[in-house]
Amino acid sequence: MQSFKTLCKLLASLLAAFPLVAFAEQVTLDQVDVTAESDDDSILSTSHLDEEALLSKQVETSDTSRLLEDVPGMSLYGAGGISSLPAIHGLGGDRIRIQVDGMDLLPACPNHMNSALSYIAPTRVGSVKVYSGITPVSVGGDSIGGSIQIEPKPPEFAGPGEDAFFQGEVGTYYRSNANARGYNFGVTWVGHNLNMSYSQSNAQADRYTAAEDFKDAEPGTEGGPVIPGDVVGSSLYDGVKNQDINLAFLYENHLFQLNLGVQKVGFEGFPNQRMDMTDNDNTLINLRYSGQYDWGELEARVYNQDTQHEMDMGPDRYTYGTGMPMLTEANTDGAMVQGDIMLAEGDVIRLGAEYQFYTLNDWWPAVGGTMGPNDFWNIDYGQRDKFDVFAEWEAFWNPEWSSLLGVRSTTVRTDTGPVQGYDNSLAGLWGDDAAAFNALDRERTDYNWDLTALARYSPGISQIYEGGYARKSRSPNLYQRYVWSTNAMAAVMNNFAGDGNGYVGNVDLKPEVAHTLSVTGDWQNSGTGQWGLKMTGYYTYIEDYIDAKRCDFSQCSEENETTTTGFVILQYVNHSAHLYGLDLSGQKLLAETTDFGDFTGTGLVNYVRGKNLTTDDNLYNIMPLNLKLAVTQDLGGWSNSAEFLAVAAKTRVSQVRNEVPTDSYQLFNLRSSYEWKQARLDFAIENVFDRFYSMPLGGAYVGQGNTMALNGIPWGVPVPGMGRSINVALNIQF
C-alpha cells in the first residue's frame, strides 16, 4: 500500500508538470457518453473487437488470448490452459506491448507462466484493439512488435429522468474435452453519477486429450510418460478465481475510476515447460482519471501490481524427495498522463509521459542433497525502471489525405544484486558461475527512441490505402540479462520459449531495434457492407535481435555445440534478423433470404517468414501459412456457423534450438447460438472429425517424465492439439 501512495504522489507531480493543465479552462460540454466504445479508424491496420464481436468467443475459452485468434496477423504461443502468449507478425512475448485496462502488466516467472492476459477473465473483456501494422508511439513503447489493448466493459450511468437501478449477469459453461467447467457472476449498481460493480469468475479443467495416442514409450518407465495414451500431461488447471471491485464517479465531463482486482490460481500445468505453476496470487490496484476540456482530453492513471508465484513438479512429472520448489515475488508501480489537444483544423496533438518501476526476487528454497544447504538465488532484487515521454501529431490535410507522425523517448535502467547457488563451495557446479556473475558491473541504462511516420489516402468510400515506416526499440527483460547459472538443471528452469532447452542470460545484451515498412489496402462495396477485403504487407529488419547460441561454457559438453537432436543449453545473444509477410482478410454477404436468414462468408489468410541474418538460421516459433474460412447464418435469434481451418506444415525450424517440425492439418468446427429476451445459449463442436494434429507454436512436449534432467525425457514430440470437444454455455442478464 505504501508503494501505491508513492504512485499517487508521482501522479500528482506529473499532472502538475504537464503543461496543458496549467492553462486549460474547464468548460461545460455535453455529458460524456462513457458507455459507447469509439472505434479508432485513423489507423487502418488496427483490428477492433467490440463487446458484440467477443460474445461467441468468450463462452468457448478460459484463455483470454484466444479471443484474438481471428485477428489478422495474430498467432498464439502454446502455454498453460489460461496462459497462451499472443504474437503479432512472428514477434511475441515481451516484444509486443500488452495493456490490460491501461496497465502494462509484467510476468513474474522464469517461464512467463503468469502472462499479462491471464490476469483478466475472458467474460470481463469489453473491447480489444490490436495494432498489427504501423503502431503509433502513443500506444507503443519498449516493444518492437505491435500492441494489444484489452479494456473491461465500461461503466454505465443512468440517464436524465431515469431511476437508478441494479443489473447483473450470471453464466456457466461446460466443455467435454478436459471436463472443463466454470461460472461467472456480476452485479452492478447504476446511478446517475456513481457506478459500483462486483464480478467474479471461476474456471477449472482436467487434462485434455488428443485425437489419438502420441507417445510410444511405456508409462512409468525412466524417461517415459507417467500417464498413457492420448491424455496430454501437465495440461490441467484448477482453482482459477478472479474477483474485481469497480467504482466509477462521473462529474460533468470528468470520470474517476478505481478498480481492485484479485486473482488466485491454485494450479496450472504447462505441457511445454519443465515445471508447473503450483500457486499464483496477484493483486491489482488501478486508479484512473479522464476528462474533457475546451482544448481536448486528458487522461491520467496510477497502478500497482503485486504477484506471489510458486512453481514445482506437478503430479505428471517424476519427483525426487521434496521436489524442487521455485518462488517469485514481483511488484510493479506504474503511472501515466496523456493529453490529446484538438486543433482548430481537426488535427490532434498527443503528448504523454509514462513511468514504470518493476522489482523481482526469484529464489529456489533448499531441499537437500545437491540442492542445498543454501537457497538458490536466480535473481536477487532485480530492478527494471522505465520512463517514457512522447509527442504525436495526427493531421487531416483534406478529405482524401491524413498523416500520423510521432516520436518517443524511453529510458530503461536495469540492475540486480549478487546471487548464490545451492552450495557455493561446489566449484564448477554453482560457485564458479555465482562468483563470476557477482564480479560483474550489472547495472545497465539504455536510451531508446521510437519513430512513427504514416500516411493514409482515401480516394473514395470504397477504397483506403495506408503506408508507413516505424522505428521501434525494446530493452531485454531481467531474465534475458541476469540468469547466470550454466548448470543444465538450473538452465532448463529458465525458459519462456517453450522449446524444452535451457537458457543462460547475458548482461551485455543490447536493446533490439526494429525498422518496419508496412502497406495496407482496404476495399469494400461502397460502404454498404456487402463485401470487404483488407490486405497488409510488411517487412521488418531488426538490429541486435535477441536470439540464442549454443552454450560454450566449461559445464557444456562438446556435443551440446553440434548435436542436431535432443535438448541443449543456450545463451542469449544479439544478432540481426528480418521478418516479412502478408495478412489477408475479407467478408461477403452470400445471400439474403426470408425463410433461412442471411448468409455471410468470411476468410482470413496469414503468412510470415522470419530469418536470422547473422547465422542464416530460421527464427523460432514462426507460424506457417494458415487459412480460415467460415460461413455464418443469422435468422432471428439464431446464429449458426461452420468454420474450416487449414495450417501448412512447419518445415522452416530453428536449428540452434533443435526445433521440431510439425505436419500440416485441417480442422472443422461448428457453432450455434440463440438469444432470447435476456438470455443466450451457445453450443459448439470443435474439431468435429477428431483430427490429430501437433500445434506449430505449442513447443516441445515435456509435460511428463523426468523433466529435471536435460534429456531425461524423449525429444522430438511437439505438444499435440486438443481432440473433439462438445461445448455448451448459458448466460443470463438481469
Side-chain angles (χ1 to χ4, degrees), residues 41 101 114 133 214 300-301 314 325 368 391 467 514 517 554 572 579 625-626 731:
D41 292 326
D101 196 8
N114 42 23
F214 60 96
R301 181 188 309 273
L517 294 171
S554 59
Y572 295 110
L579 300 104
L625 175 69
N626 57 93
N731 283 273

Side-chain angles (χ1 to χ4, degrees), residues 286-337:
N286 188 12
L287 178 63
R288 178 197 178 199
Y289 163 78
S290 58
Q292 290 190 353
Y293 296 81
D294 60 343
W295 48 264
E297 299 179 359
L298 177 67
E299 179 182 1
R301 181 188 309 273
V302 293
Y303 64 91
N304 172 261
Q305 178 188 18
D306 184 80
T307 304
Q308 309 291 320
H309 175 68
E310 298 181 13
M311 294 191 300
D312 207 335
M313 304 294 176
D316 298 339
R317 308 175 193 271
Y318 284 105
T319 58
Y320 303 92
T322 55
M324 184 185 171
M326 300 169 64
L327 307 179
T328 308
E329 292 180 351
N331 188 84
T332 305
D333 294 328
M336 64 81 68
V337 60

Side-chain angles (χ1 to χ4, degrees), residues 222-239:
E222 179 68 21
V226 181
I227 55 177
D230 58 356
V231 178
V232 178
S234 300
S235 62
L236 65 89
Y237 53 90
D238 190 20

Side-chain angles (χ1 to χ4, degrees), residues 141-188:
D142 199 28
S143 61
I144 61 171
S147 295
I148 299 173
Q149 294 180 333
I150 303 288
E151 295 290 341
K153 299 171 184 178
E156 180 182 354
F157 298 94
E162 184 180 10
D163 293 334
F165 60 93
F166 276 104
Q167 66 181 16
E169 62 178 335
V170 61
T172 186
Y173 67 87
Y174 177 78
R175 307 180 196 114
S176 64
N177 198 321
N179 190 31
R181 63 272 189 204
Y183 68 83
N184 63 279
F185 170 80
V187 62
T188 304

